[in-house]
Structure formats: structure tokens, C-alpha cells
Amino acid sequence: MIQPILVVLLTAIAPVAVLMWWVNRKDSSRPEPPMMLAKGFFLGLLSVFLSLGFSQIISGLGLSFIDSTSLEGQVAEAFFGAALPEETAKLIMLWLFLRRNKYYDEYFDGIVYAACVGLGFAGFENIFYLVGEEEWLSVGMVRAFVSVPGHLCFAVAMGYFYSRCKFGMRRSTWTYLAVWLVPLLAHWIFDALLMGASVVSDTMSLLFIIVFSFFLRFLYQRSMHHINEMEDM
């Protein structure tokens, strides 16, 4: 009989594995070496610890002493406690991974490798949230269709702009900043809407969820646009 912990782990990892397969399948003409994909995923796992280090620095600067019961506090926490440390850590790991990667020779490779890092982070985070959670199945289902794809969308944006910088495609100061700023802002809005919904009235909470649904749809559409654009290059 399969032990419950194994079922929980499979529930946590399954959406990550499916999305990694899907992204790599998009690169079927010249797929990346499996060992490089595994390395990117492992660096994504390590980015969790780097993110925690950044969170400690932010806490040391006094930016984490936020009233978590207020909307303003949740919005600030979404930025300083999640988006800023996590996207910064993932970008640093992606840069370390790609700066001497001889296989990074196509536009779409930036998205593939960024997805590996982002999904590595998402996989570790998923395990953290599900192990020990009594309602692990319902939490796992929500995260499979919301949080994990969200991390993929942030990664697609990061990889898209990284390739634009790498290969000189309409390169500008904004393009360099966008590698970090676009996933950072997307992550912030994503978390702020979800976290803010927990501290407002029932009517406002419903409004937040509706806005979040439209924002998630927008993220999916932009990600597919970036993927399709890079696929054609």
C-alpha cells in the first residue's frame, strides 16, 4: 500500500512535471539536453534558499514588520515577503545557469531554461505547502491550477526578455530592466490580489477573486504570446 506521504509528494510534483514536459515539448525541433534541464530545475530548488536569505535581509531592514490584518499590510507583504525575494533569487540562478551555457543558442531556449528554474522553485514550494496539511488534496488542486502555472508564467516572462537581451532583439534599457521587473510586478499583483482577499469584507473579497481571475487569464494569454513568438524564431 502506498504511504500517504508518497501520495502527497506525487500530488505536489505532478503539476510541475506536466508543465515541464509541456514546455520542453514546445522545443521539440532542437530540445535541450536532459541533464541541462535537470540542472535548471535543481537551481530552481536552490533559489528557494537564496530567496529565504533575501527575506532575512529584508526583515533586517525592517520591511517585514507589517500589519498582516490590513489590506495595505497584505499588499506590502506580497511584495517584500514574496515577489521581491523570490523573483530576484530566480533571476540570479537563471543568470548563473545561462552565462556559460553553450546550449543556449536559440530564442526559445531562454523560456525553456527559465521555466526549469521557475518550476524547480514551484515544486519545492508545493511540497512545503502540502506536506503536513490536513486538506492537502484541495490545497494541491488549487495550487496545481493556480500557483504552479503562475510561477510558470513569471518564468516565461523572465526567459522571454532574457532572450531578447541575449540575442539583441529590440534591445533597450527597458528590455534589460524587464527581465526582472515584469515577472516581479506580475508576481506582486498575483499575490496581492490573493492575499488581499483574505482581509477584506466578503463583498470585496469576491471582487478581488474576480479581478484575480481576469489577471490570471491575462497572464496565461501573455505567456502563450511570448511562447509562440519565440517558437517562430
Side-chain angles (χ1 to χ4, degrees):
M1 180 176 179
I2 299 176
Q3 296 297 315
I5 186 63
L6 293 181
V7 179
V8 174
L9 289 175
L10 286 173
T11 303
I13 294 300
V16 174
V18 169
L19 289 177
M20 279 197 66
W21 169 82
W22 179 77
V23 172
N24 194 48
R25 183 171 175 270
K26 289 283 185 179
D27 193 33
S28 58
S29 60
R30 289 182 62 190
E32 304 309 298
M35 284 302 298
M36 297 305 293
L37 300 178
K39 182 178 179 180
F41 187 82
F42 179 70
L43 288 173
L45 295 176
L46 292 182
S47 71
V48 173
F49 300 99
L50 182 58
S51 173
L52 291 174
F54 287 143
S55 294
Q56 289 298 313
I57 294 173
I58 291 170
S59 178
L61 294 174
L63 297 174
S64 64
F65 295 100
I66 299 167
D67 179 12
S68 61
T69 62
S70 69
L71 177 59
E72 296 82 0
Q74 289 294 321
V75 171
E77 180 64 22
F79 183 79
F80 293 110
L84 180 61
E86 291 179 14
E87 295 308 319
T88 302
K90 286 187 279 187
L91 179 56
I92 289 173
M93 286 302 184
L94 182 64
W95 175 75
L96 289 173
F97 183 31
L98 296 183
R99 65 194 184 104
R100 293 181 180 175
N101 185 344
K102 66 180 181 180
Y103 298 103
Y104 181 24
D105 54 3
E106 293 182 299
Y107 286 95
F108 194 71
D109 293 348
I111 289 179
V112 173
Y113 288 129
C116 289
V117 173
L119 290 172
F121 186 101
F124 190 100
E125 186 181 65
N126 235 22
I127 293 172
F128 175 80
Y129 276 102
L130 267 61
V131 172
E133 170 62 51
E134 290 186 6
E135 302 295 330
W136 59 269
L137 183 57
S138 58
V139 173
M141 292 298 292
V142 171
R143 292 190 60 82
F145 289 99
V146 178
S147 301
V148 176
H151 276 288
L152 176 60
C153 290
F154 311 147
V156 167
M158 185 178 289
Y160 171 80
F161 286 105
Y162 202 107
S163 280
R164 284 184 56 174
C165 293
K166 162 80 172 178
F167 298 107
M169 174 186 170
R170 298 191 296 276
R171 187 161 48 189
S172 65
T173 302
W174 157 247
T175 310
Y176 284 104
L177 289 174
V179 177
W180 178 62
L181 283 179
V182 171
L184 171 64
L185 292 175
H187 195 156
W188 181 26
I189 296 170
F190 183 99
D191 280 6
L193 288 170
L194 282 180
M195 295 166 68
S198 66
V199 295
V200 295
S201 66
D202 290 344
T203 302
M204 286 298 295
S205 179
L206 178 60
L207 178 61
F208 270 60
I209 296 302
I210 291 172
V211 174
F212 174 79
S213 299
F214 279 102
F215 180 68
L216 190 60
R217 183 170 181 268
F218 169 77
L219 279 182
Y220 289 172
Q221 289 177 333
R222 291 305 301 169
S223 295
M224 287 306 303
H225 173 76
H226 291 330
I227 287 172
N228 292 333
E229 182 178 343
M230 290 297 181
E231 268 190 303
D232 294 334
M233 292 181 177

